[in-house]
Amino acid sequence: MKMMLSEIARAIGSKFNNEKYKDVEITEVQFDSRQITEHALFVPLIGERDGHDFLDAARASGACATLWQNDHELPQVKFPVLEVDDTLSAMQLLAKYYLNKVNPKVVAVTGSNGKTTTKDMIAAVLLQEFNVHATQGNFNNEIGVPFTILQMKMNTEVLVVEMGMDRPGQLALLSELVEPDVAVITMIGEAHIEFFGTRDRIAQAKMEITSHLKEDGLLVYNGDEPLLRNLAASLSQEKLTFGFNEDNDIVGSDIHSYKYHASFITNASDDKFSIPLIGGHNVSNALAAILVGEHYHVQLATINRALQKFKATENRMEWRKGDAGEDILDDIYNSNPTAAAAVLNSFAAVPRRKNGQRIIVLADMLELGERGPAFHAQLAADINPAEIDEVFLYGTLMENLAAKLKEKFAPEKLHLFHIDQQAQLINQLKDTIHTDDIVLLKGSHSMNLDRVLAAIL
Ligand SMILES: CC(=O)N[C@H]1[C@@H](OP(=O)(O)OP(=O)(O)OC[C@H]2O[C@@H](n3ccc(=O)[nH]c3=O)[C@H](O)[C@@H]2O)O[C@H](CO)[C@@H](O)[C@@H]1O[C@H](C)C(=O)N[C@@H](C)C(=O)N[C@H](CCC(=O)N[C@@H](CCC[C@@H](N)C(=O)O)C(=O)O)C(=O)O
Ligand SMILES: Nc1ncnc2c1ncn2[C@@H]1O[C@H](COP(=O)(O)OP(=O)(O)OP(=O)(O)O)[C@@H](O)[C@H]1O
Ligand SMILES: C[C@@H](N)C(=O)N[C@H](C)C(=O)O
């Protein structure tokens, strides 16, 4: 971006500490002093710590102006300070101003699972024909979405923005901020169900993404989810569905999941598609991306090529090489019951290497509320001793799955380890894993499987 401070002040209804700063040029907006480059407007946010305490660090890194919450004592500095009531709200207001100034088409993506992957697929498809800016990583909340918008280049034609939520009302706020031209809902699972109680309420919260969908906008959603079909029925805007049931607008079929890719066909053409991720769930994500690509008149053959070579964000079913030579399927970004079941079935379909074993490492799935223990036990349905040779379960909630598996399978049938301490898990894995093994790692973000991964890479 490139904006003068005077324009920014007007956009957020703020005032300067000194008019002489009005022509200071801003090319970056950043809330973290550790990430600042230069010509940045620093936005001090209040979290566990107070960002206002890092103004000196921000200036040392190249910040040339700062917002300042007016309930904090003004800094006595010869430096542009723009006072505001709330720095996060001001950043959101500035993002909305900048979005209107650049005026790209906006594709907003949400869903219990698959947001980041589907966002990456859509961005790869639209990049074939447009200047695209997309959410980096998983920056998908009330901080991440405005931050993503403010990172956009002035020549952006399409913004592909991921929107996450874990409470009602959050997606309505983000929908109002971006006013999507296209809204995508990948699926409804159990992510964060602790804060909703039922999948119905999760679906209602996800549908908030359409609260500010443009009148001539489009909703693309998973038509295999009855909750979404029911909620979408009353929407006035155009709707398109994707899925595997015949009553969808685009139907995936003839799915083959291999080690490094999955292939499928659709009812849209005779073309065979291939994506560099495994599992039917990723085919579902690709179907959504095909619909969005076609909506923006990208040729099907071009869409196909883009999907074949798209790069997924790390820790999403990413194959890595372990230090013993084993193949590790890294799916550690997050976990919840539907995602875990989907990945377990995809992993079980990956052929063992010669003389090698299939090993799974599952860590607790968090934010599932009082049914958390039952959700963990239910994963036993997706673990078959004929397909899985070693099972490592990590975390207190995984005790429920361990108990269920012991109930189902005699010890000699299934090598099962339930471990509470991460250090012990690492040691046992190091003792167990051999060169020709394939290993799946999956668990909630807060279980920090990244440390386990780092120890065996
Ligand atoms: C508040 C904040 O900005 N935190 C970011 C900060 O973490 P840190 O621990 O440093 O924050 P503090 O609270 O200690 O510090 C307060 C501020 O001070 C700044 N600061 C600190 C130290 C310093 O030396 N200099 C500083 O300037 C600091 O930046 C704070 O602003 O830094 C981390 C590393 O950069 C950031 O990761 C952290 O960001 C928080 C987590 C955040 O929300 N970031 C968004 C950009 C984001 O989108 N993060 C996503 C995860 C989003 C997510 O979980 N989504 C959910 C669904 C949505 C739920 C929503 N309600 C929610 O709670 O998020 C999902 O399921 O996907 C990501 O990181 O991937
Ligand atoms: N459509 C889907 N249905 C079920 N599980 C999925 C689907 N897409 C992805 N997953 C699983 O969820 C994991 C996370 O995928 P991704 O990061 O794309 O989802 P997300 O919605 O962005 O997650 P988060 O809410 O944690 O940000 C994947 O590695 C895979 O295991
Ligand atoms: C960070 C938060 N939105 C989230 O993803 N929680 C999961 C369940 C976790 O932290 O593991």
Side-chain angles (χ1 to χ4, degrees):
M1 70 137 68
K2 188 183 284 186
M3 282 204 279
M4 296 302 175
L5 220 41
S6 50
E7 183 179 5
I8 290 174
R10 278 196 307 277
I12 62 175
S14 172
K15 63 183 176 55
F16 287 97
N17 53 344
N18 188 322
E19 270 301 312
K20 73 180 181 183
Y21 297 132
K22 65 183 176 56
D23 293 334
V24 168
E25 186 179 87
I26 298 297
T27 60
E28 179 194 26
V29 176
Q30 179 52 263
F31 61 83
D32 194 334
S33 68
R34 298 161 290 195
Q35 307 295 328
I36 281 180
T37 53
E38 56 182 5
H39 299 302
L41 170 66
F42 178 51
V43 181
L45 299 178
I46 299 167
E48 284 171 31
R49 292 172 285 181
D50 187 340
H52 292 80
D53 297 336
F54 301 99
L55 177 58
D56 292 343
R59 292 181 66 184
S61 304
C64 56
T66 187
L67 299 190
W68 201 261
Q69 212 154 280
N70 52 27
D71 57 358
H72 287 58
E73 189 181 339
L74 266 177
Q76 299 309 309
V77 289
K78 291 185 171 47
F79 182 78
V81 176
L82 281 78
E83 279 189 84
V84 293
D85 294 338
D86 177 280
T87 49
L88 178 56
S89 303
M91 184 166 84
Q92 292 165 348
L93 202 54
L94 181 58
K96 186 149 187 77
Y97 171 85
Y98 186 60
L99 181 64
N100 291 333
K101 184 182 172 90
V102 177
N103 193 29
K105 292 298 182 187
V106 179
V107 179
V109 183
T110 195
S112 296
N113 294 305
K115 295 185 290 295
T116 301
T117 303
T118 306
K119 172 263 295 180
D120 290 338
M121 289 177 169
I122 291 170
V125 165
L126 297 181
L127 203 58
Q128 306 305 308
E129 304 290 348
F130 304 98
N131 292 326
V132 172
H133 179 70
T135 298
Q136 297 306 298
N138 194 66
F139 272 23
N140 66 17
N141 67 8
E142 67 280 4
I143 302 171
V145 168
F147 181 73
T148 297
I149 293 168
L150 289 162
Q151 285 185 311
M152 194 170 45
K153 288 187 170 61
M154 286 293 288
N155 68 346
T156 301
E157 293 169 301
V158 183
L159 170 69
V160 185
V161 59
E162 176 181 336
M163 293 189 173
M165 65 95 198
D166 64 9
R167 296 294 192 288
Q170 290 175 348
L171 285 187
L173 181 147
L174 297 177
S175 183
E176 183 179 11
L177 175 57
V178 307
E179 293 181 60
D181 295 279
V182 176
V184 179
I185 306 179
T186 61
M187 55 80 72
I188 300 300
E190 313 81 11
H192 314 300
I193 199 167
E194 173 177 4
F195 311 117
F196 294 89
T198 65
R199 289 178 72 251
D200 293 57
R201 292 199 195 111
I202 292 176
Q204 287 163 27
K206 291 295 183 186
M207 199 51 81
E208 288 174 20
I209 196 170
T210 64
S211 60
H212 291 78
L213 178 65
K214 289 193 173 72
E215 268 316 300
D216 62 350
L218 166 69
L219 171 63
V220 170
Y221 71 94
N222 187 325
D224 293 347
E225 175 51 70
L227 294 172
L228 291 177
R229 274 194 182 272
N230 295 339
L231 289 168
S234 58
L235 200 71
S236 61
Q237 289 92 337
E238 184 189 357
K239 299 170 276 275
L240 290 174
T241 62
F242 62 90
F244 304 111
N245 297 337
E246 287 304 318
D247 59 352
N248 285 295
D249 292 293
I250 187 168
V251 182
S253 62
D254 195 23
I255 298 162
H256 297 280
S257 190
Y258 303 92
K259 181 170 183 179
Y260 297 110
H261 75 286
S263 68
F264 62 96
I265 61 173
T266 76
N267 58 332
S269 76
D270 296 332
D271 294 351
K272 186 171 185 176
F273 286 81
S274 170
I275 52 174
L277 285 175
I278 62 177
H281 54 286
N282 281 310
V283 171
S284 176
N285 297 333
L287 294 174
I290 293 169
L291 280 181
V292 176
E294 288 188 313
H295 178 69
Y296 283 110
H297 311 299
V298 181
Q299 295 298 311
L300 210 50
T302 306
I303 294 173
N304 196 342
R305 284 195 300 276
L307 288 175
Q308 282 176 36
K309 59 177 193 268
F310 102 98
K311 180 85 177 76
T313 298
E314 63 176 2
N315 311 127
R316 275 83 170 169
M317 300 189 79
E318 181 181 5
W319 284 106
R320 296 176 185 270
K321 205 69 178 170
D323 61 8
E326 77 278 18
D327 287 339
I328 299 168
L329 186 59
D330 160 7
D331 197 27
I332 66 169
Y333 182 75
N334 221 329
S335 188
N336 53 63
T338 306
V343 177
L344 281 168
N345 288 303
S346 307
F347 183 69
V350 176
R352 290 182 181 84
R353 289 164 63 185
K354 189 170 178 300
N355 305 323
Q357 296 197 108
R358 278 199 203 97
I359 300 170
I360 59 173
V361 181
L362 299 177
D364 280 1
M365 302 179 288
L366 304 178
E367 298 182 9
L368 298 176
E370 60 192 18
R371 282 181 297 155
F375 277 129
H376 283 74
Q378 282 163 14
L379 278 183
D382 300 286
I383 296 172
N384 178 345
E387 295 161 349
I388 304 297
D389 304 300
E390 307 273 347
V391 178
F392 289 86
L393 303 177
Y394 167 49
T396 49
L397 284 165
M398 278 295 167
E399 169 59 47
N400 297 282
L401 178 55
K404 192 70 174 175
L405 288 169
K406 286 172 187 166
E407 199 182 286
K408 281 185 77 173
F409 306 112
E412 61 274 11
K413 286 283 280 179
L414 183 68
H415 293 174
L416 171 64
F417 307 90
H418 175 249
I419 300 163
D420 274 329
Q421 301 303 318
Q422 195 174 83
Q424 185 192 346
L425 171 65
I426 290 171
N427 291 335
Q428 281 204 232
L429 285 173
K430 283 174 174 288
D431 290 346
T432 305
I433 293 172
H434 292 102
T435 306
D436 293 326
D437 293 340
I438 57 174
V439 185
L440 167 67
L441 289 173
K442 177 99 182 147
S444 269
H445 198 66
S446 308
M447 296 304 290
N448 299 120
L449 282 181
D450 53 324
R451 296 177 195 149
V452 177
L453 181 65
I456 61 175
L457 275 182

